[in-house]
Amino acid sequence: MLSFETLILTLAGMFFISIFFSPTAATISLTVSPKALTKSNHSVHIQWSGIPSPSSLDWLGIYSPPESANDNFIGYLFLNSSPSWPSGAGELRIPLVNLRSNYTFRLFRWKPEEVNYRHRDHDHNPLPGTRHRLAESEEVGFEGASAPDQVHLAFTDREDEMRVMFLTGGGEEEFVRYGLEGKMDSIVGTKVTKYERKDMCDFPANSSLGWRDPGFIHDGIMTNLEKGKKYYYRVGSDARGWTETYSFISRDTEANETIAYLFGDMGTSVPYSTFYRTQEESKSTVKWILRDLEGLGDKPAFISHIGDISYARGFSWIWDEFFNLIEPIASRVPYHVCIGNHEYDWPLQPWRPSWSWGLYGTDGGGECGVPYSLKFKMPGNSSFPTGTGAPDTQNLYYSFDAGVVHFLYISTETDFLHGSDQYNFIKADLESVKRDRTPFVVVQGHRPMYTTSDEVRDTPIRERMLENLEPLLVENNVTLALWGHVHRYERFCPLRNYSCVDIASDSLPKAATVHVVIGMAGQDWQASWKPRSDHTDVPIYPQPKQSMYRGGEFGYTKLVATREKLTLTYFGNHDGEMHDIVEIQSGQIPKISDGEVRVVSELKFSWYMQGAGILILGAFIGYVIGVLTRCKRDAAQRNTWTPVKSEET
C-alpha cells in the first residue's frame, strides 16, 4: 500500500504532467524570427499554430524587458489581425524600436465572461486579461543594443555651434565626429545624464507599469562652424560603434531667408494597441516635412514643435517611439520645442495658482517634466524647481535669431504673470529685438491666447495671458503668435483685445498681432467649435469675424521669410498640399510716442485657398499700404477633409 507521502507526490506529478504535457499545451507553437534585429523600425516575424477553438479575443502581448509581469505589457494585438486566425494559426509582422532590452511575446486566451469594463484603456475599451497564458516566444534583441540611437539636433546660444543629442544603453564615453564634405576631422566628447524611476512623481511614470529604463542621454556640441555650410557628422565611439553619417546646414543669422516648419501636439504612432491611443497621423506629418526638407537642397531650416511632444503620459517607451519617428528629420535640421501640459501636468506641480483649479491635473502621467527637460536642451538656461528633488524643469522660455526672424518660445505651464521671471524675460527679450536685423518677430507657446474652440477649462489662463502678455506683444509689434493645445488649425485677423485691427487704415493705434493655432499635427482628441449660446440643443458653430480660417485637417505649417516678406503656409496631411496662406510685408520699426503706438510699416495680408471653396475678397486701401484679403471655405469643402475625433464621440 502506498504511503500518504508517496500518494501526494504521485498525484502532484500527474497534475503537473497534465498541465505541461497536455495535448493542447503541447501543440501550441509560437515562434519569432529573426532573433536579432540590426536597427530600430526593423520588423520581427511572429508565427503561431495549434490554438484550439480560436476566439476573437485571443491576443498577443508584447513585452520588454522579457521578465515583465503579464499585465505590464508594452502593447498588444488581437490574433484576428491575421487573416488565417480562425484556423488556430497565423502570422504578424511588427516593427520594433530599440529599448536597450530584449523583447518577448506571449499568447493569451481571454474569455468573454472575464472582460472587465472597469479596467479600460484611453478609449474606454477593456484592456485584455492575462489569466490564461497559452505560450511564450523566445527573446528577440538588437545587435549593438547599447549603440547610439535617437539622434536629434538643436541650436545653442552661439551662432557657430550645433548641438547633437542621442541615447545609448550605457554611460560610457561617446563622441561626435564632424566636418565639411570629405573631412569629418573634428571630434568632441559628450556630456552624459540620466534620470531614474525615483525622479518620476506620480503614476504610471513611477510604477512598474509605465517605467522602463530610459538609457543614457548624450549631449555633444559641434563648434567653430562656418556660416551656412553643409556639415557631415556621426556619433558613437570606436569601442561601441558609430551611427551612419548625417548632415546639416550650419546656422547663418545674417542670411536673408528663414525657413521653419512649425506645429504642435504631434505625438507618435506605435504598431500595436497600448494603454493610451497614440497618434497615427504623426507619421504623415513627418513624411511630408521630410519631403519638403529633401526639396530644400542646401538651404538651412529648423523645426518648431510647440508643446505636447510625445504624449508618453508616463509610459516611458513612448518616448523611444517618438524619437525613432522624428530621427529622419531631427537628425538633419534643429528640432526645437516648448513645454505643454502633457509634458508637465501633475497634481502637486509647484505653480498652481488658485484661479487655475480646472487647468492642471494628471496630463503628464507623473513625469513632472523630467523626460522633456533632459531629452531636449534648448538655448538659454530657463528652469523651474519640481519641488520633489527631481531635476528642475528646463527648456521653459528662450529665444534665438534665424535669418530675418526673431523667435521667442514661452511656457504657458509655469508662471508668466507680471513680475515673474518669465514675464521679465519676455519683456526684456522683445524690447531688445533689433528690427533692422530681424524685421519679423514670432512668439510661440502651447496654450492659445485666442481660440474659438469650445475649450472652457482654459478660460482662466487665456484671461491672464490677455492681461499680462498681450500688451507686450502689441507694444513690441510682434508679427505672429503661434499656439498649440487645440488640435485644429485656426488663423485670426490682426488682433488686439479680441478686436480686429485694420492695419491698412489711417486710424491709430494700429499695432496688432496675427494669432494662429497650429495644434493639428497628430492628436485627434478635439473639442468642437464654440456653439451659439441660443442653439445649445441643436448646436450651430458660427465662425466669428475675428477667425479668418478654421480647419479640421491634420497637417503642419511652413514659414518662409525674407527681409521683405514673411509667409506662413498651412499644409494638409491628406494630400500634402497648401490649404491656407498668409503673407506679411515687412517695414520700419514701430515708433512709440506718448503712449501711442504708430506703425509706419507697410503690411500686406493675403490668403489663398485650394479647391472648390468660395473666395471672398475685401480690400482696404490707404496710403497704398496693401491689400487685405480673407476667405473662408464653405462647409461642404471642409467636410471633404480628414475629420478629427471629438471629445463627445
Side-chain angles (χ1 to χ4, degrees):
M1 185 173 181
L2 295 175
S3 67
F4 178 76
E5 292 82 359
T6 302
L7 178 62
I8 293 299
L9 290 173
T10 300
L11 292 174
M14 293 173 64
F15 173 77
F16 284 110
I17 288 173
S18 68
I19 293 295
F20 292 104
F21 297 97
S22 66
T24 298
T27 56
I28 295 178
S29 170
L30 179 61
T31 61
V32 291
S33 63
K35 301 296 191 306
L37 302 174
T38 58
K39 187 178 180 181
S40 281
N41 218 38
H42 285 191
S43 293
V44 62
H45 185 203
I46 304 167
Q47 296 177 290
W48 66 89
S49 63
I51 295 182
S53 304
S55 164
S56 60
L57 293 181
D58 294 339
W59 62 282
L60 176 81
I62 305 163
Y63 294 84
S64 181
E67 63 270 18
S68 300
N70 282 342
D71 56 353
N72 286 351
F73 45 77
I74 295 290
Y76 62 93
L77 292 167
F78 288 101
L79 300 192
N80 60 17
S81 301
S82 174
S84 61
W85 74 271
S87 69
E91 61 181 348
L92 294 170
R93 293 183 184 271
I94 305 175
L96 301 177
V97 300
N98 181 8
L99 297 182
R100 302 157 302 281
S101 179
N102 285 352
Y103 285 82
T104 190
F105 304 88
R106 301 171 193 170
L107 290 177
F108 291 91
R109 168 63 45 87
W110 187 28
K111 299 180 179 180
E113 62 270 21
E114 295 170 347
V115 174
N116 184 352
Y117 288 93
R118 291 177 296 178
H119 188 211
R120 301 183 297 181
D121 67 9
H122 187 218
D123 289 322
H124 307 291
N125 298 314
L127 288 164
T130 58
R131 184 178 301 178
H132 311 290
R133 191 169 85 183
L134 304 180
E136 182 170 11
S137 75
E138 295 181 275
E139 295 183 12
V140 174
F142 281 83
E143 296 177 1
S146 294
D149 199 8
Q150 305 179 20
V151 178
H152 55 105
L153 300 170
F155 292 137
T156 73
D157 289 313
R158 292 180 57 92
E159 181 183 0
D160 64 346
E161 294 179 345
M162 184 70 75
R163 166 172 276 111
V164 57
M165 301 185 73
F166 57 95
L167 209 66
T168 68
E172 297 88 358
E173 190 174 22
E174 302 285 345
F175 302 90
V176 184
R177 285 191 180 275
Y178 65 99
L180 298 171
E181 185 173 11
K183 294 182 179 180
M184 292 185 63
D185 51 2
S186 297
I187 186 167
V188 294
T190 60
K191 295 181 179 179
V192 185
T193 188
K194 183 180 176 66
Y195 58 92
E196 306 289 347
R197 180 171 170 177
K198 63 180 177 60
D199 295 324
M200 303 293 97
C201 59
D202 213 332
F203 180 87
N206 62 2
S207 72
S208 59
L209 182 68
W211 173 258
R212 298 295 185 278
D213 190 314
F216 291 84
I217 303 164
H218 295 257
D219 179 5
I221 298 178
M222 294 174 273
T223 61
N224 300 316
L225 305 179
E226 298 180 39
K227 294 181 179 181
K229 295 294 183 66
K230 189 171 188 176
Y231 279 84
Y232 296 83
Y233 74 100
R234 54 182 179 164
V235 303
S237 65
D238 291 336
R240 285 161 295 280
W242 295 85
T243 63
E244 63 183 275
T245 298
Y246 304 98
S247 66
F248 65 90
I249 307 300
S250 59
R251 191 174 174 188
D252 183 0
T253 58
E254 296 179 358
N256 288 323
E257 184 179 45
T258 302
I259 301 174
Y261 297 88
L262 314 104
F263 53 83
D265 306 76
M266 185 174 75
T268 191
S269 174
V270 299
Y272 46 74
S273 297
T274 187
F275 300 95
Y276 277 86
R277 172 158 36 91
T278 55
Q279 295 73 42
E280 183 70 13
E281 276 291 330
S282 61
K283 294 190 297 185
S284 293
T285 301
V286 170
K287 177 188 73 173
W288 292 120
I289 292 177
L290 181 59
R291 172 204 64 176
D292 291 353
L293 291 176
E294 291 172 342
L296 287 180
D298 290 342
K299 291 184 177 182
F302 72 93
I303 290 170
S304 186
H305 187 164
I306 54 174
D308 286 5
I309 309 299
S310 72
Y311 287 97
R313 291 178 278 205
F315 294 99
S316 180
W317 65 89
I318 299 297
W319 280 109
D320 293 283
E321 296 277 4
F322 171 79
F323 281 105
N324 174 65
L325 172 73
I326 69 167
E327 188 181 74
I329 56 177
S331 60
R332 67 169 66 197
V333 296
Y335 198 101
H336 281 259
V337 293
C338 68
I339 197 166
N341 53 299
H342 282 287
E343 284 74 60
Y344 187 68
D345 263 13
W346 58 290
L348 299 179
Q349 60 182 274
W351 189 65
R352 193 174 182 176
S354 58
W355 49 264
S356 69
W357 61 269
L359 288 176
Y360 302 115
T362 59
D363 291 343
E367 293 181 351
C368 48
V370 173
Y372 166 84
S373 298
L374 297 185
K375 288 178 175 289
F376 295 101
K377 176 63 177 175
M378 299 293 101
N381 58 359
S382 59
S383 65
F384 197 75
T386 60
T388 66
D392 289 352
T393 307
Q394 301 174 52
N395 309 318
L396 296 176
Y397 43 89
Y398 60 94
S399 67
F400 57 80
D401 291 342
V404 297
V405 183
H406 180 76
F407 291 91
L408 170 61
Y409 294 73
I410 69 174
S411 168
T412 59
E413 308 310 300
T414 51
D415 193 358
F416 57 80
L417 303 183
H418 193 282
S420 67
D421 288 345
Q422 179 172 198
Y423 177 92
N424 293 336
F425 174 86
I426 294 170
K427 184 175 188 296
D429 182 82
L430 291 177
E431 290 175 351
S432 66
V433 175
K434 296 179 174 60
R435 299 304 279 263
D436 57 340
R437 182 176 179 180
T438 55
F440 301 104
V441 178
V442 177
V443 173
Q444 299 169 85
H446 183 59
R447 302 186 197 236
M449 186 178 296
Y450 287 100
T451 177
T452 63
S453 73
D454 197 22
E455 181 53 83
V456 296
R457 290 172 297 180
D458 281 342
T459 300
I461 202 167
R462 287 198 295 271
E463 292 173 346
R464 270 71 182 183
M465 291 171 70
L466 287 163
E467 177 185 354
N468 293 271
L469 298 183
E470 188 181 46
L472 295 181
L473 305 188
V474 173
E475 291 164 10
N476 293 283
N477 198 30
V478 168
T479 314
L480 275 175
L482 303 175
W483 314 100
H485 195 57
V486 174
H487 308 142
R488 295 179 185 256
Y489 174 87
E490 183 171 23
R491 172 176 51 78
F492 291 87
C493 62
L495 278 173
R496 184 178 64 247
N497 192 26
Y498 285 103
S499 299
C500 291
V501 175
D502 184 2
I503 300 294
S505 74
D506 190 33
S507 61
L508 292 174
K510 292 185 288 186
T513 298
V514 176
H515 292 255
V516 188
V517 177
I518 56 172
M520 67 295 174
Q523 178 59 273
D524 59 1
W525 285 86
Q526 175 57 49
S528 61
W529 300 115
K530 186 176 182 180
R532 269 174 46 181
S533 58
D534 58 343
H535 281 80
T536 54
D537 53 339
V538 181
I540 296 176
Y541 305 104
Q543 188 164 350
K545 65 179 182 179
Q546 297 93 337
S547 177
M548 309 298 290
Y549 186 98
R550 299 195 304 194
E553 166 71 3
F554 294 106
Y556 61 97
T557 62
K558 178 182 179 181
L559 181 150
V560 178
T562 63
R563 191 161 295 280
E564 294 76 28
K565 180 176 67 175
L566 181 150
T567 303
L568 186 73
T569 308
Y570 165 38
F571 290 91
N573 273 359
H574 80 280
D575 58 6
E577 298 296 327
M578 177 187 72
H579 290 279
D580 185 40
I581 186 170
V582 57
E583 293 180 349
I584 305 174
Q585 299 288 338
S586 69
Q588 300 176 12
I589 303 172
K591 297 179 180 179
I592 302 177
S593 175
D594 298 326
E596 189 175 62
V597 181
R598 295 178 178 268
V599 182
V600 295
S601 61
E602 178 184 5
L603 298 177
K604 176 183 176 182
F605 298 86
S606 58
W607 293 270
Y608 307 91
M609 296 302 300
Q610 292 235 135
I614 299 175
L615 185 64
I616 304 174
L617 298 176
F620 303 91
I621 302 175
Y623 291 94
V624 195
I625 287 181
V627 177
L628 172 66
T629 66
R630 56 174 293 190
C631 73
K632 299 180 180 179
R633 186 184 300 268
D634 61 26
Q637 178 69 22
R638 286 196 298 267
N639 288 340
T640 66
W641 293 5
T642 306
V644 294
K645 289 187 173 62
S646 168
E647 287 183 349
E648 290 86 5
T649 60

